[in-house]
Amino acid sequence: MMTTVITPLREERVEPPAARRRGLRRQTRRAWLGVAYASPTAVMVVLFFLVPLALVGWMSLHRWPLLAPPTLNAPDNFTGIGDNDLVRSATWFTIKYTVIITVLLFTVSLGLALLVQHRRRGVGFFRTAFFLPMAVGFASASLLFLGLLSDEIGPVSDLLRKVGLIDGYVSWTSGSANSALGSAVVLVLWRFAGFNMLILLTGLQAIPPEIYEAARVDGASRWQTFRRITLPLLRPTIALVLTLMVTGSLLAFDQFWILTRGGPDNSTTSLVMVIYREAFIRLDLGSAAAISVVLLVVLVAFNVIQLGVLRRRSN
Amino acid sequence: MLNRSRLGYSVTGAALAILFLFPLLWSGWASVRTGSGFGLENYDRLFTSDNGVSLRNVVNSVVVSGLTVAGTLLVATFGGYAFGRFRFPGRDVLFLVTLAILMVPYATILIALYVLLGWIGLEDSLIGLSLVLIMFQLPFSIFMMRNSFEAVPRELEESAQMDGCASFGTLVRIMLPAVRPGLITVGLFAFLTSWSEFFAPLILLNSTDKFTTTLAVVNMRTASHGSIDYAALEAGVVFMAVPCLILFAFMQRSYVRGFTSGAIKG
């Protein structure tokens, strides 16, 4: 990702010796101008990114109550992670959720992308319809589903009762661990499938049509074409989409905080919810920072590995 | 055979489109449905009930989004111009570090940002929240603006300088009009993100009179110990979503194009 975006510096023109001094002065002046233009970025990045990054590491080594001075207690915050039952269950839940979402969301997104791949009648409308949930903020979408799945005003239970699939009262978002997880999964599929479809679509459209034509001439079946041409050539895009899905799922918060409240019985409490709890309910910022650091290291490592794979494939 | 596959495409597409549009249409319908028929009672309760949404919350949202959009445009324009057009020491390092923000999930450093904002006297403040939101917009925005500036022909800038246009004047008069599509995309993204952001305001804002609309609507669910007023909640959802949907309708083309060009390169 990163190496592809850095374009080589432009070759400076070879100037005659007489003009060199003037040119050099101009170059210095332009360098200073560049520094001046870049300075707001530098200030923002240092103050609000690098400093907090270092600070979260520093905090993780301290007992850091919300309202009292911090004291060094390394490595208690880290060893405490292992003893914390909620952290353990949240870790397992977050991993389980990540696997489920990645598989389902990828399948749905790719299916949608293949469906709207070609210019046909209604394709613009379909693309817009699939992408439109993205316009609703994630927190708003979670609230939307809270009402949609509620027994009070939501149509889902009524509809399923009429069809005969369920009887009686079902509390989708808090009734059982499975239904709460299922509710969140459906919400995420609805909200994010169109977004991932769009990325996959750009990948699909980058495949030269001649290759498909050649395959057709050779008498390849649809399935063969998909397996032998589409999937391999789509690989960099697939890697990108999978990275986004895994990263997003490991950081899940809104959908569980709002839709299931982490329940029932903490069965849908994600890792980021635990970080919030440690910091602002148990008022132990040091412990929250330690969990953050572990999560951060895992995610950065994951991203670096993904990047390596991506780069090798695209070269 | 061909016809059957075309029919299959249309039926599948239409069924899926209905499935995707249904929740949106339902929330609009649920927000105006009342006991006796249709009306704006749910919206009335949304804005007047004790733990509902106040005008203050809406103003806060507008302020945060306005500051975030303005700040992002300002920083990203200068930064993009610097990265796209100038050579200076530290350029590549700064650009890399800016992009590295993408690799660090913001949820993991918000605790530190909370402490940091307290140190510099910006705890529980809309400005502090906006600064954080601007920072998270920077990798995408600066990348986008750098590419936009790089795509402007060099001759355009050089002829302007020959005419005696000083560098800042060149930026404002010559370059900005040329990178307008990039600016629109960056501004749009900044608005959509800041308008609907939940986690950052939840952590960085404490007092209810600082709450943004999203926080206030979510708070209606959190604070209700008894039964939840679902209908008012859906009114809140619609109220939050409408500005975004309108922007989408107007700018879908540039949104999708801007996004996809970033996705391919990124």
Side-chain angles (χ1 to χ4, degrees):
Chain A
M1 188 151 69
M2 273 179 206
T3 47
T4 52
V5 295
I6 300 166
T7 50
L9 298 176
R10 264 164 214 275
E11 300 260 337
E12 289 295 307
R13 268 172 234 150
V14 183
E15 280 167 295
R20 192 177 276 168
R21 241 171 64 130
R22 211 181 43 212
L24 214 67
R25 211 166 42 215
R26 228 198 89 206
Q27 252 182 44
T28 325
R29 202 181 93 86
R30 274 190 74 83
W32 278 111
L33 261 173
V35 170
Y37 281 129
S39 55
T41 308
V43 171
M44 287 296 295
V45 168
V46 170
L47 190 58
F48 293 108
F49 177 61
L50 291 181
V51 170
L53 199 59
L55 182 58
V56 79
W58 180 245
M59 287 171 75
S60 71
L61 305 175
H62 289 72
R63 217 185 89 72
W64 201 296
L66 197 58
L67 297 168
T71 47
L72 195 77
N73 75 340
D76 288 3
N77 292 326
F78 288 98
T79 50
I81 294 176
D83 306 328
N84 190 328
D85 282 341
L86 190 59
V87 175
R88 217 173 311 146
S89 72
T91 306
W92 280 120
F93 172 72
T94 308
I95 292 173
K96 182 171 120 186
Y97 167 78
T98 300
V99 171
I100 293 174
I101 276 296
T102 306
V103 171
L104 288 181
L105 190 56
F106 177 74
T107 313
V108 173
S109 308
L110 184 61
L112 292 180
L114 291 171
L115 186 75
V116 298
Q117 180 182 6
H118 302 294
R119 293 206 173 281
R120 288 197 268 195
R121 243 171 61 159
V123 82
F125 171 73
F126 293 162
R127 284 182 192 171
T128 309
F130 304 151
F131 188 68
L132 213 52
M134 205 59 204
V136 182
F138 195 25
S140 300
S142 307
L143 289 168
L144 197 169
F145 267 65
L146 189 68
L148 190 74
L149 297 173
S150 77
D151 221 47
E152 268 108 298
I153 64 166
V156 175
S157 296
D158 276 344
L159 216 69
L160 292 179
R161 263 193 294 266
K162 264 182 201 133
V163 183
L165 281 173
I166 57 164
D167 47 38
Y169 170 80
V170 176
S171 169
W172 298 107
T173 55
S174 57
S176 74
N178 282 335
S179 73
L181 173 60
S183 304
V185 167
V186 173
L187 158 68
V188 171
L189 288 179
W190 177 75
R191 169 79 211 280
F192 290 100
F195 173 79
N196 291 292
M197 169 200 79
L198 206 66
I199 306 179
L200 288 166
L201 201 57
T202 59
L204 282 175
Q205 285 171 344
I207 301 175
E210 295 81 38
I211 302 185
Y212 285 117
E213 267 157 46
R216 201 166 47 216
V217 169
D218 289 346
S221 73
R222 266 191 176 187
W223 174 243
Q224 279 173 323
T225 316
F226 178 72
R227 269 204 52 195
R228 299 288 168 79
I229 297 173
T230 311
L231 277 187
L233 288 175
L234 201 58
R235 203 173 254 160
T237 320
I238 291 175
L240 172 71
V241 165
L242 290 180
T243 311
L244 289 177
M245 287 176 188
V246 171
T247 313
S249 313
L250 289 177
L251 298 166
F253 181 82
D254 291 19
Q255 63 270 49
F256 297 121
W257 181 264
I258 295 171
L259 196 63
T260 68
R261 301 246 66 196
D265 294 331
N266 289 332
S267 63
T268 59
T269 298
S270 69
L271 268 176
V272 175
M273 278 177 84
V274 175
I275 295 178
Y276 181 90
R277 241 174 88 122
E278 291 290 314
F280 299 106
I281 296 172
R282 296 197 50 229
L283 308 181
D284 185 350
L285 294 180
S287 153
I291 305 171
S292 297
V293 167
V294 173
L295 187 58
L296 200 150
V297 168
V298 169
L299 278 164
V300 169
F302 175 78
N303 276 336
V304 168
I305 293 168
Q306 275 287 355
L307 258 161
V309 173
L310 256 176
R311 202 184 309 160
R312 206 173 322 132
R313 301 276 189 229
S314 53
N315 277 352
Chain B
M1 182 64 195
L2 195 73
N3 272 335
R4 215 201 306 167
S5 95
R6 194 177 294 165
L7 187 72
Y9 155 79
S10 300
V11 171
T12 317
L16 285 168
I18 291 170
L19 219 56
F20 273 83
L21 290 178
F22 174 73
L24 287 176
L25 298 171
W26 174 80
S27 68
W29 180 72
S31 75
V32 294
R33 190 178 45 167
T34 63
S36 51
F38 296 97
L40 294 177
E41 287 163 39
N42 300 326
Y43 288 88
D44 196 44
R45 281 206 313 289
L46 171 71
F47 290 112
T48 54
S49 71
D50 277 346
N51 53 24
V53 175
S54 68
L55 181 66
R56 185 72 180 263
N57 299 136
V58 182
V59 171
N60 290 344
S61 285
V62 173
V63 167
V64 169
S65 297
L67 284 175
T68 306
V69 171
T72 305
L73 285 176
L74 199 75
V75 178
T77 303
F78 285 153
Y81 192 37
F83 292 126
R85 275 296 205 256
F86 294 86
R87 295 182 61 172
F88 53 91
R91 185 183 88 150
D92 294 351
V93 173
L94 182 60
F95 189 64
L96 271 180
V97 174
T98 310
L99 286 187
I101 297 175
L102 284 175
M103 303 247 287
V104 174
Y106 81 110
T108 57
I109 60 167
L110 263 181
I111 302 276
L113 279 163
Y114 174 83
V115 171
L116 180 79
L117 288 177
W119 287 348
I120 58 178
L122 286 175
E123 74 268 33
D124 194 18
S125 100
L126 299 179
I127 294 176
L129 170 62
S130 306
L131 285 169
V132 169
L133 291 174
I134 292 168
M135 192 273 293
F136 289 122
Q137 284 303 113
L138 283 188
F140 164 77
S141 307
I142 285 188
F143 181 61
M144 187 84 203
M145 289 319 294
R146 185 195 77 145
N147 285 358
S148 303
F149 278 113
E150 270 183 348
V152 179
R154 228 141 238 272
E155 292 72 29
L156 197 68
E157 194 183 10
E158 273 160 14
S159 69
Q161 260 155 5
M162 217 99 70
D163 293 343
C165 213
S167 179
F168 189 70
T170 318
L171 172 62
V172 174
R173 253 165 282 163
I174 312 293
M175 299 300 272
L176 281 192
V179 295
R180 230 183 66 171
L183 288 172
I184 291 175
T185 311
V186 165
L188 196 65
F189 264 82
F191 175 81
L192 291 172
T193 316
S194 55
W195 181 256
S196 41
E197 175 61 33
F198 172 64
F199 194 47
L202 176 73
I203 290 202
L204 300 177
L205 303 175
N206 301 325
S207 44
T208 41
D209 67 320
K210 294 277 171 53
F211 276 14
T212 58
T213 317
T214 315
L215 267 188
V217 180
V218 173
N219 204 37
M220 281 173 63
R221 184 248 205 279
T222 326
S224 63
H225 291 293
S227 60
I228 303 172
D229 188 348
Y230 287 104
L233 217 57
E234 291 308 318
V237 169
V238 173
F239 180 77
M240 287 297 298
V242 160
C244 304
L245 287 169
I246 290 174
L247 271 182
F248 257 58
F250 275 115
M251 305 192 168
Q252 202 206 0
R253 237 157 240 286
S254 79
Y255 184 97
V256 171
R257 201 188 308 128
F259 172 75
T260 49
S261 71
I264 291 173
K265 294 224 176 92

